[in-house]
Structures are given as C-alpha cells and as structure tokens.
Amino acid sequence: MAVVNENVVEEQLGKLQQEAELVVQRRYEEEEKLYGGFRSPAINTLVSGVGFFTDAYNIFIVSILNGVWTEAYPTDFTSTMKTRVSNSILVGDIVGMLFFGLFADRIGRKAGLLATATILLIGPILETVSFGANGSITGMFWMLVIVRGFLGVGIGGEYPCAATTSCEAGEDAKIKRGKNVLLVFSMQGVGTITAYVYGILLIEWAKANPSNFEPVWRVALASSIVPVIPIYILRWRMRNSTRYEVAGLSKKNLPWLLVIRKYWVNLIGTAGTWFINDFLFYSNGLFSSEMTASILRETDVRSSNLVFKEYTSMLILLIGLPGYFVSAFTCDYIGSRNIQIIGACVSGTIAIIMGGIFNLMRTNPGPFIMMYGLFFFFTQFGANCTTFILPTETYATAVRATLHGVSAAFGKAGAAIGTQVFNPLKKISPVNGPRAVFIFCGGLSFIGAILTYICIPDNKKKPLEVLDMEFERYCLEHGVELKYLQPSHYSKYFTSSDSDEKARMNENETEDKGSVAVLSE
C-alpha cells in the first residue's frame, strides 16, 4: 500500500477528533440523565468483578472435589478421568477466549458479557444434574467432562469481555484505569479462597457419613449459580462503553494485515508472557498441593487427612492473595509493565532459592509454606495480574478484545502444557524432581521479564483515545481509511445543526478520497 501524504493524514485525523469529542460530550450528558450518580461505568465494573469471582470458584472448587470423588468413587474416578475433568475446562477456556474476544469487538461489550453470563448460569445447573445412562458413574463423569468444557467457554469469554469493559469503564468514569481493571481481576483470588473455604466446610459436614459425599459435590457445584443471577440482571442494565461507541469495530471493515504489521511485536509480548505465567501459575497451583502432601508425609503431620492438606494449600494461597490488591493500588503509579518485570524477577529468584535449599525444607513444612506463599505473592504482584491488564493498555479499541482473547488463549495453552511438563520432572526423584521444577520455574520467570521489557510498551499514562488515534494514523499512512467513527454507533448523538456543521467540515472530502484508499472486503 502506498504511503499517504502527511498533510492529508493530519486533516483526516483532525476531523475525526472533532467528531469524537462531540460524541463523548453527548454521551456523558446522556449517562448523567439516565444514571445520575450511579453511572454506567460503575455498573460495568461491578458486573465484571463479580463475574471473575464466579469464574475462579468454578475452576478451583474442582481441585477440592477431586479428593471427594476419589474417596466416593475410587473405581470410576481414575487418574485419567481426573485429568479429563480438570482439563476440559481449559479447552473450553481457549475456545471462549478466542470466540468472545472477536464477538466483543464485532457485536459489543454488553452482548459479550450477557452471553458469557448465560453460559455461567446454564453450565453449573447441568453440572449439578450430571448423570450416566442406567446409573453409570463413568457416564456421569463423562457428562461432567462435556459440561465443564461448555462452562469453560463462558469462563474463557469473561477474560476479554471483562478486561475491556472494566478498562474502558475506568476511562469513562475518569478514575484510575489500572486499579479499576485489577480490582476486577482480584476477584479471582477471592473466588479461589471462597472455593477452598466452602469446599472444606462441606467436606467436614460430610466426613461422618461417606454417603453424604454425593450431595456435597452437587451442592458445591450448584452454589456458583447464586452470584450469577444478580450479575445477569445488572448486565441487562449496563451499556457499551463510550470508548467503544466512539471507536468500536462494529460492522466496519478491519485491515487485519495492518493490525498484524502494527502489533505483532506487542502480541509476542502479551501472548508470550501470558503463556509463561499460566504455565507457572496453574502448574504450581497443582504442584503446591501435591508437594505439600509429600512434605507432610515426610514429617508425619496428618498427611492422610484430606481436609488438613486443603488447609495447608489454602494457607499458601492466602499468603499470595494480598498480591492482587498491591498490584491494583500501585499499577497506576509504577506501571503494569514495570510490575510484571519486578514480579517475574523476584518470584524467579525465590523459586531458584527454593530449588537450591529444597533438601532442607522437605523436613520443615513451616519454612516451605512461607517461601511458597511468597512465590505466589510475587506471582500476583506480577504477571498473574498484569498479563490481564497489559493487552487492554496496548491495543486500540477496535481490536482490544480480540487481541486480549488471543493473548489469554496462549495463557491457557501454557497452563495445559505446564501440567504435562511438570509431571515427569517432579518424578525424577523425591529431592531432585522438585528441585528441578523450582529451578526451571525460576529460569522461565526471568525469560518472561526479558520478553516484557523487549516487546511490551509502557502505556500507563497514555489515554485509550491516544491508542485509537495512533492506530487510525497508522491505517491512514498506509492508504486505508478505517472510518474511526461508525455511523451506526454515533449518528444518534448528532442533531440536524451538528450534521450541517459536519457537512461543512467535510466539503473537501471528495478530493481527499483520491489520496486515501478505502479498504473493502
């Protein structure tokens, strides 16, 4: 594509900027009239946060129920079936991230969140009533595998939909954007702890009578429906963000070749670091429970007690939980990119130290739990939070959800691969296996820090409008008129006098079209 004259580009951008400012002004007036003090951005943030709470609960309650199913159905719940039940939701996640990322850009943020909420409502109901033909327990678990894959589509879709919604809502409300996004994501940590606490209470209730195990796991799965109902109602009331109204993709033709040319380095950064983070985070989430159990066996500390093992795993996660909130309240000052680098370096150092002194820690559960907890703290105050926000601060509104979904899908692929890589490593020997895992984690963390530094820009102080105009400028410079404002979005905000003024502004547009090519599908 030929490069367009710079003067033509500046003139085009100037006209778009004026139109965008008018849309934003009218939109704010409309928001105040409709919502008063409780504005649409606040609703957008609220429904996104509670959705992540539900997502985390659905994922992590199964890590507790695995123990219940093993005791209640020792013949049918084999290690292979356990892997299928656990991994099906990851496959669904990847599908949901890719599909709903594109969906949220093409159709709208509100439509995406309503669709994912529908799946979050139907999925747990189907889980709860899972059954096998003729009472087959194996058939029941196969139904759980399929249903949890379906549920994973909704959970995966929450990532691009909730991230873009909360980011744009923060900008609409003129509050700290990073804090807004990461407080939404912090509900993942709260949902995880809730899953552990609630699961432990139910197991304690059922221990006296093994026949109670079936109602326990069905109630545990059904409980995630409760917070989805108010979410669903609020999501009907929310609106697409002002930023999406101004610069959303909608039905416009998108020059994907230019998108790739502009963002390919950034995409390597956001997708690559998310792959590394989930490779480490989810694998260590599984590995920490098994490693804690092995160390408890070494010291004969109630190692056979299912609930006690869950208590120790929950303690490790509790030490890491404040990392979510430290990230949220510092990212607008330090910058998400810098936090990701700091967290990766510190957690990598801790992992290498744990590998080096593992032989000493294996007979001392206390120091092991504290060190592992700190590892998770700096994972939260680091890549586990910042990989969620960085795509929203890197890409233009027209492709923000799509490229966020692609990045998140690489993350879940890392989670699935990581669990497979760790299994043979940890089985090398009782000492050298875990030592190799920790040292490997440390080295991978440092690679993530380097990738962040090279491939991801520091946009903490850059408004989303600037990202959109930079993308528009790039398209215009390469001969493509992206049509920054989509008529189906903004026409209702223009009065007849506005339209007359717009016509006067565009008197010279005919001669400009000779210089700027319009991309057609």
Side-chain angles (χ1 to χ4, degrees):
M1 298 178 185
V3 177
V4 179
N5 183 279
E6 183 67 23
N7 292 332
V8 174
V9 170
E10 291 298 332
E11 186 176 351
Q12 290 279 339
L13 290 174
K15 292 175 182 177
L16 291 171
Q17 187 69 46
Q18 290 180 48
E19 294 180 1
E21 288 172 359
L22 179 59
V23 174
V24 171
Q25 178 186 343
R26 297 287 164 82
R27 173 79 176 199
Y28 281 146
E29 292 170 359
E30 194 175 66
E31 291 285 339
E32 289 293 343
K33 186 181 296 184
L34 285 171
Y35 296 103
F38 189 59
R39 297 181 56 192
S40 184
I43 300 175
N44 292 2
T45 302
L46 178 63
V47 299
S48 300
V50 179
F52 258 87
F53 172 90
T54 308
D55 293 347
Y57 178 89
N58 277 309
I59 290 174
F60 288 97
I61 193 67
V62 168
S63 68
I64 295 174
L65 295 182
N66 282 337
V68 174
W69 286 326
T70 300
E71 291 198 19
Y73 313 106
T75 304
D76 299 278
F77 194 62
T78 62
S79 59
T80 302
M81 185 60 73
K82 177 181 176 181
T83 301
R84 288 171 182 151
V85 172
S86 299
N87 287 351
S88 61
I89 203 165
L90 293 177
V91 175
D93 276 349
I94 294 171
V95 173
M97 288 163 175
L98 294 172
F99 174 77
F100 281 106
L102 188 60
F103 184 96
D105 278 337
R106 298 293 297 191
I107 310 299
R109 315 309 196 210
K110 175 180 177 177
L113 285 171
L114 276 172
T116 57
T118 302
I119 297 174
L120 293 179
L121 187 62
I122 296 173
I125 294 173
L126 295 176
E127 281 184 309
T128 305
V129 300
S130 293
F131 65 95
N134 301 317
S136 167
I137 301 300
T138 301
M140 179 190 73
F141 280 118
W142 270 112
M143 181 172 176
L144 272 173
V145 169
I146 295 168
V147 171
R148 284 188 66 77
F150 169 71
L151 179 61
V153 173
I155 292 174
E158 285 282 307
Y159 278 75
C161 294
T164 53
T165 297
S166 55
C167 179
E168 292 162 4
E171 191 115 327
D172 283 356
K174 302 185 186 303
I175 60 177
K176 291 182 172 61
R177 182 179 67 210
K179 182 175 74 173
N180 207 47
V181 177
L182 291 186
L183 284 178
V184 166
F185 189 69
S186 69
M187 292 300 101
Q188 182 194 74
V190 177
T192 302
I193 298 299
T194 302
Y196 271 91
V197 172
Y198 188 53
I200 287 170
L201 289 175
L202 287 174
I203 292 172
E204 289 280 17
W205 174 73
K207 276 196 309 181
N209 186 354
S211 64
N212 287 335
F213 276 134
E214 181 168 349
V216 161
W217 69 258
R218 292 189 185 274
V219 168
L221 293 175
S223 298
S224 68
I225 300 169
V226 176
V228 177
I229 297 172
I231 291 173
Y232 203 82
I233 296 170
L234 284 172
R235 287 185 180 183
W236 274 108
R237 189 174 184 232
M238 69 177 283
R239 310 172 79 205
N240 285 317
S241 67
T242 301
R243 182 79 339 233
Y244 183 76
E245 288 290 314
V246 170
L249 175 60
S250 188
K251 297 177 182 178
K252 69 180 68 168
N253 299 319
L254 191 66
W256 282 107
L257 181 60
L258 284 183
V259 172
I260 295 169
R261 285 176 61 182
K262 178 169 176 56
Y263 290 123
W264 70 272
V265 173
N266 300 148
L267 191 57
I268 289 174
T270 58
T273 55
W274 209 329
F275 178 93
I276 291 172
N277 172 72
D278 282 16
F279 186 103
L280 298 175
F281 179 70
Y282 284 93
S283 301
N284 273 284
L286 173 64
F287 184 59
S288 66
S289 178
E290 296 181 7
M291 185 52 54
T292 301
S294 69
I295 287 180
L296 293 176
R297 283 195 295 271
E298 290 278 348
T299 53
D300 295 321
V301 181
R302 290 177 281 182
S303 60
S304 62
N305 188 317
L306 171 63
V307 176
F308 185 73
K309 288 186 287 187
E310 300 300 345
Y311 275 130
T312 54
S313 297
M314 185 175 67
L315 178 58
I316 292 172
L317 293 174
L318 278 171
I319 296 171
L321 180 64
Y324 284 101
F325 300 98
V326 176
S327 290
F329 287 99
T330 60
C331 68
D332 289 299
Y333 304 99
I334 301 175
S336 303
R337 174 178 177 268
N338 295 333
I339 289 176
Q340 184 156 300
I341 293 171
I342 293 168
C345 291
V346 177
S347 62
T349 302
I350 291 172
I352 291 171
I353 291 173
M354 290 180 72
I357 64 172
F358 180 76
N359 198 37
L360 297 175
M361 291 194 302
R362 63 195 293 249
T363 56
N364 294 279
F368 171 81
I369 290 171
M370 286 302 299
M371 288 283 285
Y372 220 165
L374 285 174
F375 172 83
F376 277 102
F377 175 88
F378 283 101
T379 300
Q380 312 303 356
F381 179 62
N384 195 47
C385 282
T386 52
T387 50
F388 182 73
I389 187 176
L390 280 170
T392 69
E393 296 183 329
T394 301
Y395 305 116
T397 302
V399 294
R400 181 171 295 122
T402 301
L403 297 186
H404 190 287
V406 171
S407 301
F410 270 88
K412 283 299 176 285
I417 294 170
T419 55
Q420 300 303 313
V421 171
F422 275 20
N423 277 326
L425 268 180
K426 70 187 180 186
K427 291 177 181 177
I428 295 174
S429 76
V431 176
N432 290 330
R435 177 176 287 166
V437 168
F438 285 126
I439 293 174
F440 180 77
C441 287
L444 206 54
S445 294
F446 282 107
I447 293 174
I450 294 169
L451 198 60
T452 302
Y453 182 79
I454 294 173
C455 297
I456 301 177
D458 185 3
N459 288 336
K460 68 176 183 292
K461 295 183 179 180
K462 185 177 289 188
L464 300 182
E465 179 186 16
V466 173
L467 296 178
D468 291 338
M469 296 306 289
E470 285 177 352
F471 180 55
E472 180 72 18
R473 175 187 293 277
Y474 187 83
C475 291
L476 288 171
E477 288 175 345
H478 290 81
V480 175
E481 185 183 2
L482 183 60
K483 296 192 179 298
Y484 179 71
L485 290 168
Q486 181 68 18
S488 62
H489 278 180
Y490 75 82
S491 57
K492 62 182 178 181
Y493 296 109
F494 288 96
T495 63
S496 57
S497 59
D498 293 328
S499 299
D500 293 340
E501 177 62 24
K502 182 183 173 188
R504 286 193 294 273
M505 288 165 50
N506 294 335
E507 282 179 353
N508 298 324
E509 188 170 330
T510 304
E511 59 190 62
D512 292 343
K513 288 186 182 288
S515 303
V516 181
V518 179
L519 184 71
S520 59
E521 289 183 343

